[in-house]
């Protein structure tokens, strides 16, 4: 299974000739490889994790791709004229979906708190093939589940680096790499890398930095 990192929180996972895309949003350049996509996961409704234009482009190249997202995303898509006709399969924490060759397990339920004045929206974390966990914008730990590889958020309006470190320690992956970096300067990213690397090492894991376009083979 190959995991390719794109800008911000976006990933493409490839195995057995099929692709899964996660959180291809407004801070992300649309990847060139959009064929053979069987599933798209949108963890929550914020525009840095999906756009109608990106979804439409993916579906134009992979018309049979299914979109999985929490209710808030389905409502946002239904209320966006540019997304008319795009269908969403609503998922919730505790559900497991099989879209061959991918098994998707969903966790969490709510976005991390940004500020008390702002509504807390739906958010799901997704565990792919019992191997890779993407938490969306949350610190939702998949309780009772071993996580070999963690996509760890490193910068956001809701993120405090100490809490991000605690999240990595709680998940205790064998390997972690940073996502959700586009709100940080290079210096901020480098600082965060060091903090999350320490956190991963506390559980005996390792930390690797992926630039957009780089990949891991799992």
């Amino acid at each position: 299974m190959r995991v390719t990192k794109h800008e911000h929180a976006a990933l493409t996972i490839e195995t057995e000739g099929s692709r899964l895309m996660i959180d291809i949003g407004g801070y992300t350049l649309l990847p060139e490889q959009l064929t053979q996509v069987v599933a798209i996961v949108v963890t929550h409704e914020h525009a840095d994790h999906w756009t109608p234009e990106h979804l439409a482009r993916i579906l134009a190249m992979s018309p049979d791709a299914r979109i999985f997202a929490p209710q808030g995303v389905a409502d946002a898509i239904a209320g966006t004229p540019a997304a008319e006709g795009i269908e969403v399969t609503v998922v919730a924490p505790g559900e497991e979906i099989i879209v061959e060759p991918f098994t998707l397990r969903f966790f969490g339920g709510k976005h991390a708190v940004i500020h008390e004045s702002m509504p807390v929206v739906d958010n799901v974390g997704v565990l792919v093939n019992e191997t890779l966990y993407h938490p969306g914008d949350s610190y939702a730990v998949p309780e009772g589940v071993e996580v070999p590889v963690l996509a760890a958020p490193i910068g956001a309006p809701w993120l405090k680096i100490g809490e991000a470190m605690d999240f990595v320690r709680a998940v205790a992956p064998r390997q972690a790499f940073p996502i959700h970096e586009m709100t940080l300067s290079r210096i901020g990213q480098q600082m965060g890398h060091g903090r999350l690397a320490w956190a991963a090492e506390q559980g005996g894991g390792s930390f690797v930095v992926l630039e957009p376009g780089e990949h891991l083979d799992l």
Side-chain angles (χ1 to χ4, degrees):
M1 188 168 79
R2 172 167 288 188
V3 179
T4 300
K5 167 83 171 70
H6 307 298
E7 293 88 359
H8 205 50
L11 303 177
T12 297
I13 299 97
E14 300 176 73
T15 190
E16 300 179 25
S18 296
R19 295 188 173 97
L20 162 70
M21 306 188 85
I22 302 176
D23 281 357
I24 308 293
Y27 295 174
T28 303
L29 296 175
L30 199 62
E32 293 183 3
Q33 300 299 325
L34 300 178
T35 59
Q36 299 173 296
V37 178
V38 297
I40 304 163
V41 173
V42 182
T43 63
H44 64 283
E45 64 197 71
H46 291 156
D48 56 326
H49 292 255
W50 79 283
T51 71
E53 294 79 14
H54 281 8
L55 290 182
R57 285 282 303 280
I58 297 168
L59 292 171
M61 298 298 293
S62 295
D64 294 328
R66 297 175 63 190
I67 300 172
F68 300 95
Q71 185 64 55
V73 174
D75 293 343
I77 288 176
T80 302
E84 184 177 358
I86 294 178
E87 297 183 1
V88 177
T89 298
V90 174
V91 293
E95 291 190 43
E96 179 177 306
I97 301 288
I98 297 176
V99 187
E100 295 289 354
F102 300 103
T103 298
L104 310 176
R105 295 177 63 189
F106 296 96
F107 298 87
K110 292 297 180 182
H111 192 287
V113 174
I114 301 172
H115 186 264
E116 63 182 11
S117 66
M118 302 180 68
V120 177
V121 302
D122 294 337
N123 180 96
V124 291
V126 59
L127 180 65
V128 181
N129 288 359
E130 301 296 322
T131 301
L132 170 72
Y133 183 58
H134 188 307
D137 281 12
S138 80
Y139 297 127
V141 176
E143 298 292 347
V145 175
E146 180 180 344
V147 175
V149 181
L150 172 65
I154 195 170
W158 51 270
L159 188 149
K160 178 181 178 181
I161 195 63
E163 293 174 348
M165 293 164 69
D166 288 342
F167 171 64
V168 173
R169 292 180 68 188
V171 176
R174 293 203 296 269
Q175 189 172 49
F177 64 91
I179 60 169
H180 216 284
E181 78 287 347
M182 292 294 281
T183 60
L184 296 177
S185 68
R186 272 293 176 182
I187 292 174
Q189 290 180 45
Q190 291 167 2
M191 181 198 72
H193 295 161
R195 300 293 189 269
L196 294 194
W198 176 89
E201 291 163 1
Q202 302 315 295
S206 63
F207 186 80
V208 61
V209 176
L210 298 178
E211 296 293 338
E214 293 183 341
H215 63 261
L216 286 175
D217 287 321
L218 309 178

